[in-house]
Amino acid sequence: MEMKRISSGKLRAIGYDARQRLLRVELDDGSAIEYAAVGEEVWRRLSGSGSAWSYYRDNIEEEFAGKRVAAKAAPKANPLDDLFK
């Protein structure tokens, strides 16, 4: 699933798999939550919202059952990279 990086409230990334109707949100604490049976219209409104955090809280967090999943770890920078670039 391709993730769209955002900065809205506690949201840091959102992604949607239309075939599986699966929405994934990644939060600023590093956790990730997946929501099943989410329609494309909900995804369209979330991804196009000027206030994605508010839309998420009002229309997704309260309406769909979420399941915490392991967030993808961001690649750690090698401290030697700065020396040898």
Side-chain angles (χ1 to χ4, degrees), residues 10-12 25-33 68 71:
K10 294 182 180 184
L11 292 177
R12 292 299 165 255
V25 298
E26 294 179 2
L27 306 174
D28 63 358
D29 65 359
S31 65
I33 306 170
R68 292 227 178 236

Side-chain angles (χ1 to χ4, degrees), residues 6-66:
I6 64 171
S7 182
S8 179
K10 294 182 180 184
L11 292 177
R12 292 299 165 255
I14 56 176
Y16 184 68
D17 182 326
R19 190 174 52 84
Q20 294 182 9
R21 297 178 41 134
L22 185 69
L23 173 72
R24 179 186 177 101
V25 298
E26 294 179 2
L27 306 174
D28 63 358
D29 65 359
S31 65
I33 306 170
E34 288 185 347
Y35 297 91
V38 175
E40 287 188 49
E41 180 67 15
V42 172
W43 164 248
R44 187 184 65 75
R45 290 184 180 188
L46 173 65
S47 63
S49 174
S51 180
W53 176 244
S54 292
Y55 184 85
Y56 166 74
R57 284 190 347 220
D58 295 343
N59 299 285
I60 297 168
E61 188 177 46
E62 299 292 324
E63 300 294 325
F64 297 91

